[in-house]
Amino acid sequence: KMKIESLLIHGGIDGDESTGAVNIPIYQTSTYKQPAMGVNKGYEYSRTGNPTRKALEELIAELEGGYAGFAFASGMAAITAVLSLFKAGDKLLISNNIYGGSFRVIDKVFKNFNIDYSIVNTSNLDEIREAIDDTVKAIYIESPTNPLLGITDIEEVSKLAKENNLLTIVDNTFMTPYLQKPIELGADIVVHSGTKYLGGHSDTVSGLAVVNSKELAERLHFIQNATGGVLAPFDSFLMIRGIKTLAVRMDRHNSNAKAVAEYLRSRDEVEKVYYPGFEDHPGYEVQKKQAKGFGAMIAFVLKEGFSYKKFIESLELITFGESLGGVESLVSHPATMTHASIPADIRRKVGIVDNLIRLSVGIENVEDLFEDINRAIEKARQ
């Protein structure tokens, strides 16, 4: 079996057999010629299946160690399709600081269909255990969480879920299958915003889902085809292209993030740094056990007397914007951006305060990043 660094390049469908092209062609077609009534060559309509998309779907399934993969037009389309596996009267347990968009679709869309949720600290197994009742059908985890980088023991939660006949769904966007494989840890479904590290170049919006069984694959394919939020052929091609360099990018992301986290922690002007690679982080041991890296996401709080607005406005190299996981370093303000859809009281309760800044560390020269942060801190002094 190939190691993951090789699998990223050669996994799924490797090249094009009919021409010898080393890259999967972009099958920019909506429909397919059928040789006879009821006979086709495996494809009939591109919403149902497209060869470029299929190559990406097989690749992500192989990378995650799952049964089947599905590619969607965005991370939220993937999450929406997965949530569509549930029916009225079902209830989900969700991590207490999941991505704002995930919370919004559960709270504002699926709640209309009488699919309910309870917010729990998934890092605490007892809290999950207490929240399980007859209506609960799944546990929805992000690990590390967005933006406070809390860690959940995926293996232990999956065991607890299985004991209670529940599905375990893991958003693996921050870690990618290069660093963490939830299905191998016992999860049933993995979702990704492919827009982030998998695509890796801030040029494609996409979503991916991987399931661990034939039964879930059939159900999710039905939903994907019926609701139609599929990834286009060209975007599927860009995703495959991005994934080929995932290993080298993540290695640099990881090493840069560790250096930047330590740099921020060494600064007197910074009150707190959230980063799971610190040995005193409450989830450090679990993260070390279940992943082979700490990722490149950091959140930090500036001390009083420093304006977070001025800090963000003073950055020159680091880009202020939504999203994460691109080759460029990106900074965002969770309270008004990614987590604005979460009610303010819930936000504050979990620690998403107004002066919290989230940093997605890119693959630039790390000295340049230090310099940019230093300049912005100096200008943020009030």
Side-chain angles (χ1 to χ4, degrees), residues 65-266:
Y67 179 84
F70 302 89
F72 296 88
S74 68
M76 286 316 306
I79 288 165
T80 297
V82 167
L83 294 172
S84 301
L85 292 164
F86 301 97
K87 58 182 192 296
D90 289 351
K91 186 178 184 180
L92 306 167
L93 301 182
I94 62 173
S95 290
N96 63 355
N97 62 326
I98 61 168
Y99 168 56
S102 306
F103 177 78
R104 180 177 54 209
V105 80
I106 292 167
D107 182 55
K108 297 283 189 284
V109 178
F110 283 92
K111 212 152 181 227
N112 297 335
F113 308 132
N114 197 23
I115 292 169
D116 205 3
Y117 67 90
S118 276
I119 297 169
V120 293
N121 173 6
T122 53
S123 304
N124 184 332
L125 286 172
D126 291 333
E127 204 175 306
I128 299 174
R129 206 174 273 113
E130 277 167 34
I132 295 172
D133 61 31
D134 291 345
T135 62
V136 173
K137 300 295 181 227
I139 305 171
Y140 185 101
I141 301 164
E142 268 181 38
S143 187
T145 54
N146 181 9
L148 297 175
L149 304 157
I151 305 298
T152 292
D153 191 323
I154 297 168
E155 196 168 9
E156 289 302 316
V157 171
S158 301
K159 273 185 201 159
L160 182 59
K162 280 190 176 58
E163 284 165 21
N164 291 277
N165 206 20
L166 313 178
L167 289 175
T168 305
I169 304 162
V170 180
D171 185 330
N172 201 27
T173 299
F174 276 17
M175 287 286 101
T176 81
Y178 179 65
L179 296 178
Q180 177 172 278
K181 296 196 174 190
I183 286 173
E184 290 181 2
L185 295 164
D188 300 288
I189 303 172
V190 174
V191 291
H192 287 276
S193 169
T195 311
K196 315 301 193 294
Y197 292 103
L198 291 170
H201 294 77
S202 304
D203 57 7
T204 320
V205 172
S206 77
L208 298 162
V210 178
V211 296
N212 73 343
S213 70
K214 184 172 190 260
E215 186 246 346
L216 281 173
E218 284 169 358
R219 288 174 64 199
L220 196 57
H221 181 259
F222 179 85
I223 290 164
Q224 183 193 40
N225 186 42
T227 58
V230 295
L231 193 62
F234 182 63
D235 292 330
S236 299
F237 167 83
L238 283 177
M239 285 300 301
I240 294 167
R241 182 180 183 225
I243 287 169
K244 285 179 193 293
T245 60
L246 183 68
V248 288
R249 286 187 287 106
M250 288 312 285
D251 285 347
R252 173 63 80 88
H253 279 300
N254 263 326
S255 62
N256 271 5
K258 187 174 192 299
V260 169
E262 284 167 356
Y263 176 74
L264 284 167
R265 199 180 229 195
S266 74

Side-chain angles (χ1 to χ4, degrees), residues 2 5-14 59 62 244:
M2 268 185 276
E5 292 84 353
S6 306
L7 209 52
L8 290 164
I9 298 161
H10 299 289
I13 297 165
D14 190 17
L59 175 59
E62 200 170 344
K244 285 179 193 293

Side-chain angles (χ1 to χ4, degrees), residues 343-371:
D345 56 327
I346 298 177
R347 271 205 315 264
R348 280 193 290 274
K349 207 163 83 179
V350 298
I352 304 170
V353 291
D354 285 346
N355 55 340
L356 181 82
I357 295 163
R358 190 189 74 180
L359 175 59
S360 167
V361 182
I363 66 171
E364 300 95 342
N365 181 291
V366 77
E367 299 289 337
D368 290 336
L369 295 174
F370 293 164
E371 210 171 291

Side-chain angles (χ1 to χ4, degrees), residues 274-286:
Y274 296 89
Y275 172 65
F278 288 144
E279 290 187 18
D280 57 2
H281 184 288
Y284 175 78
E285 291 301 333
V286 173

